[in-house]
Amino acid sequence: MNIKGPNLYAEMQSMAVQARAVGTELKLKNTAEVNPSQTDFSQLLTQALGNVNNLAQETGQLRNALEMGDPNVSLAQVMIASQKSSLAFEATVQVRNKLVESYKEIMSMPV
């Protein structure tokens, strides 16, 4: 599978805009918390992983429906869902890699 750089970048920008919007809503709701950024980040990460999981499950369901001969599901729908799922997973892996890299960098800083 070949992922085009501009498409991945555009998808990541779209996710960042969505995350900022969700983050703003969460900040307004959680103003009484001691450390709202920690909660916001964990909720955003949980939502992102849930979204990736939902896309993968939807792709699996469409693929099974196509294999069973469902006339309401086309090959194009399955391929598009598969690409969406793959792109979301790859973006999540990249975010994870950046988090691990940042963690290692912070841990190697002298105190």
Side-chain angles (χ1 to χ4, degrees):
M1 177 177 62
N2 188 7
I3 297 176
K4 305 287 186 205
N7 293 341
L8 178 61
Y9 182 70
E11 183 68 24
M12 290 177 76
Q13 281 185 327
S14 171
M15 289 177 156
V17 169
Q18 291 174 352
R20 281 188 209 110
V22 170
T24 303
E25 291 172 9
L26 291 174
K27 283 181 185 177
L28 293 174
K29 291 179 183 176
N30 298 329
T31 55
E33 291 184 21
V34 176
N35 190 356
S37 63
Q38 183 180 5
T39 303
D40 290 347
F41 179 75
S42 66
Q43 288 177 348
L44 289 174
L45 187 60
T46 301
Q47 288 173 352
L49 292 174
N51 185 31
V52 171
N53 185 42
N54 290 340
L55 286 172
Q57 288 180 353
E58 179 184 332
T59 300
Q61 291 170 352
L62 286 173
R63 188 175 294 141
N64 287 339
L66 181 70
E67 289 172 355
M68 297 301 283
D70 187 348
N72 298 323
V73 178
S74 70
L75 179 60
Q77 287 175 315
V78 174
M79 294 306 294
I80 290 171
S82 177
Q83 289 299 312
K84 282 182 182 180
S85 175
S86 176
L87 185 61
F89 180 75
E90 289 296 324
T92 303
V93 168
Q94 292 300 321
V95 169
R96 184 211 56 159
N97 291 344
K98 286 292 183 182
L99 285 171
V100 170
E101 183 181 314
S102 298
Y103 175 78
K104 287 180 180 178
E105 186 176 323
I106 289 170
M107 292 307 290
S108 68
M109 289 182 179
V111 177

